[in-house]
């Protein structure tokens, strides 16, 4: 038999904004994705759902760094890609950007099955910031887009179950300390891309697990799924995304809700998530089909139980976000998704020294989508069964499982060294997903030294401290290491992550007298003050930290002063210390002051100084806040303080109706 499936390297040229440097400040504050569900709501939910909604929500980004160094100046740039292709499908994968499937092209018809973004524009949607839209993304970790959205994954060629080539992607997910892999292959003559996924827990304790595969598709579709009801998250507060806000989960009918058929994405005015209640025993699938009945279908083995539709909505905020993520004139998109639980507010318990795995299939579906809901769904289900019977999906899963342990052959793209550090520490054996010591780099080197000698090396020159590892085993090593100022700094961060905030403050205070750089410690103490409600003291410490950093900085200090300068300005404005805030503003570098985020801060400073006309002029001149967070209402709130005029469309990112 002649194998026609092939994997090859390609270089795409896309208008792209560079990712830029990571934020050097450790993310000590809680995530805005930490939601609470009213306990009264749980009584009406399925038991497993109610349990998983309260199971170990993520409360910290540590040890990850925030990725906010990107801008919005796009230029043609090369992007490395891996293409897996047979005679029916061509899948283009971006291993250096989260392993995303950027395109899935059906060769006989020439149809693109996904929404293929023509640009690469990072935006603040991932748990740790940088994310981009389009294609199929693999989300692991916790509620939200993975911290690996714009990070490199390991990629290699591996034999597929049918003897052809298979593309393996794998990495170490750091928020939950779990290794995972994604295997993609195209059997000869197949109209479906097979994707085998495995998440392992090598630890001796259970770990909360999260997975959602997100598929961007054109929004001029109807979305079909085998469900008569959906869970709709409903915010109990209006506007913005306040930290820890309460949510309700309402059970709503499908397809029509409030008199409108919501399975057509453009029928919703505001952004919304519809988590479909797929009955037990029903095949797991979801499809997005155009008016001619053509489009994408995704199906899986039953472990991947959840299905979801996300819509931006037809309102001005949703349209503005769509332009923001791509370019004006580009057709909009929605997302169909599949996950381990019913909703994305849940985490699933993964038992010690165990794993969870499943198989997904992606391909074209041709069936009428319009018309009465039940008939359209049943017709689509029959058509899917004809082109890809459920038994074939189960058989593909069973034949893939032994190949999941096959050691990779040709390495096609490198990932990070964090998995190698964990394997070195614990001597874990993870067949199929090697994390060799050769992948260790400068970021891991201090921690490798701690592991080898029991001592964390002090920096040889003045520079910002590197990343902190916060898992219990690393915290234990820090606690027994010689207590130099560098070690105390990292120990304090690990203690803060563990919830021992008083001890974290003591560690940072102990380090101050001997530390060559005071600003990292003062900044941590300032955050601690803010979290305990001492905003005036926090402002003092922020001001001292920024002053210390400015004395220390050399030519490469723009990233540091921008990160700390932003937090310092925000703290001083909150404490109504406008003169001190103005002094900080004047010490920022001109290139930093020109950034959109800082233009917005300057408008706020001007208003605080009583210079409302000048603050309004900042808006009139125009600015773009590259790292504007999904749901953030900073711009609209400041505008409402300046004028009663309607918010200009260029600044309107509101995703929900304003409530009284």
């Amino acid at each position: 038999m002649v194998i026609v499936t092939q994997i090859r390297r390609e270089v795409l040229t896309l208008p792209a904004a560079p990712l830029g440097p990571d934020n050097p400040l450790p993310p000590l504050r809680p995530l805005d994705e930490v939601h609470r569900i009213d306990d009264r709501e749980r009584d009406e939910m399925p038991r497993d759902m109610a349990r998983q909604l309260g199971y170990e929500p993520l409360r910290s980004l540590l040890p990850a760094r925030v990725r906010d160094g990107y801008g919005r100046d796009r230029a043609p740039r090369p992007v490395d890609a891996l293409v897996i292709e047979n005679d029916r499908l061509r899948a283009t994968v971006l291993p250096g950007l989260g392993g995303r499937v950027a395109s899935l092209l059906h060769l006989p018809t020439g149809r693109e099955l996904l929404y293929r973004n023509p640009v690469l524009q990072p935006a603040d949607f991932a748990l740790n910031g940088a994310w981009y839209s389009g294609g199929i993304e693999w989300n692991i970790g916790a509620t939200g887009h993975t911290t690996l959205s714009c990070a490199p994954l390991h990629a290699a060629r591996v034999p597929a179950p049918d003897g052809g080539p298979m593309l393996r992607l794998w990495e170490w997910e750091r928020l939950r300390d779990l290794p995972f892999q994604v295997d993609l292959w195209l059997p000869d003559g197949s109209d479906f891309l097979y994707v085998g996924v495995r998440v392992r827990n090598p630890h001796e304790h259970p770990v909360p697990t999260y997975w959602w595969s997100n598929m961007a598709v054109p929004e001029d579709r109807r979305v079909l799924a085998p469900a008569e009801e959906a869970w709709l998250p409903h915010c109990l507060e209006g506007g913005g995304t306040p930290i820890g806000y309460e949510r309700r989960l309402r059970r709503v009918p499908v397809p029509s809700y409030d008199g409108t058929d919501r399975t057509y994405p453009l029928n919703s005015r505001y952004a919304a998530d519809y988590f479909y209640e797929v009955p037990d025993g029903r095949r797991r699938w979801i499809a997005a089909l155009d008016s001619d009945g053509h489009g994408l279908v995704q199906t899986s083995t039953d472990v991947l139980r959840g299905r979801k539709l996300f819509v931006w909505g037809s309102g001005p905020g949703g349209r503005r976000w769509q332009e923001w993520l791509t370019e004006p004139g580009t057709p909009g998109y929605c997302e169909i998704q599949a996950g381990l639980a019913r909703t994305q507010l849940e985490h699933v318990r993964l038992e010690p020294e165990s794993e969870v795995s499943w198989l997904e299939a992606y391909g074209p579906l041709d069936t009428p989508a319009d018309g009465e809901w039940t008939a359209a769904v049943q017709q689509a289900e029959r058509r899917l069964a004809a082109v890809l019977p459920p038994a074939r999906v189960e058989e593909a899963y069973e034949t893939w499982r032994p190949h999941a342990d096959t050691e990779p052959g040709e390495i096609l793209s490198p990932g990070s060294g964090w998995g190698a550090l964990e394997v070195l520490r614990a001597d874990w054996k993870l067949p199929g997903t090697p994390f060799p010591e050769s992948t260790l780099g400068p970021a891991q080197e201090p921690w490798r030294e701690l592991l080898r000698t029991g001592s964390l090396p002090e920096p040889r020159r003045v520079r910002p401290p590197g990343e902190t590892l916060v898992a219990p085993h690393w915290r234990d090593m820090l606690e027994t290491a010689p207590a130099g100022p560098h070690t105390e700094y990292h120990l304090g961060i690990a203690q803060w992550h563990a919830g021992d905030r008083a001890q974290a403050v003591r560690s940072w205070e102990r380090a101050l007298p001997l530390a060559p750089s005071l600003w990292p410690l003062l900044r941590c103490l300032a955050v601690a003050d803010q979290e305990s409600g001492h905003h005036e003291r926090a402002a003092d410490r922020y001001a001292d930290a920024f002053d210390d950093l400015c004395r220390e900085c050399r030519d490469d200090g723009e990233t540091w002063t921008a990160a700390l300068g932003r937090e310092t300005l925000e703290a001083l404005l909150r404490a109504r210390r406008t003169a001190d805030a103005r002094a900080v503003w004047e010490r920022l570098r001109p290139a930093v002051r020109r950034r959109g985020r800082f233009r917005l801060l300057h408008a706020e400073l001007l208003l605080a100084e009583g210079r409302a006309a000048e603050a309004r002029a900042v808006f009139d001149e125009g600015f773009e806040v590259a790292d504007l967070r999904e749901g953030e209402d900073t711009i609209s709130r400041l505008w409402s303080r300046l004028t009663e005029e309607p918010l200009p469309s260029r600044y309107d990112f509101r995703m929900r109706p304003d409530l009284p």
Side-chain angles (χ1 to χ4, degrees), residues 3 41 72 123 221 257 297 378 434 458 473 483 520 560 600 638:
I3 301 293
E41 300 288 320
R72 292 191 56 80
R221 300 288 190 268
Y257 165 61
V297 65
Q378 290 176 348
E458 292 289 326
H473 42 267
W560 318 344
L600 177 62
L638 182 57

Side-chain angles (χ1 to χ4, degrees), residues 477-531:
M477 281 185 262
L478 288 169
E479 287 176 344
T480 57
H486 191 59
T487 300
E488 293 280 19
Y489 164 82
H490 287 292
L491 175 59
I493 293 172
Q495 291 165 332
W496 181 273
H497 175 266
D500 193 350
R501 297 190 169 185
Q503 190 58 55
V505 168
R506 285 192 285 271
S507 295
W508 294 325
E509 289 176 339
R510 280 197 305 267
L512 275 173
L514 298 176
S517 293
L518 300 181
W519 67 267
L521 296 159
L522 290 170
R523 182 264 177 179
C524 289
L525 290 167
V527 173
D529 286 335
Q530 284 184 327
E531 291 297 299

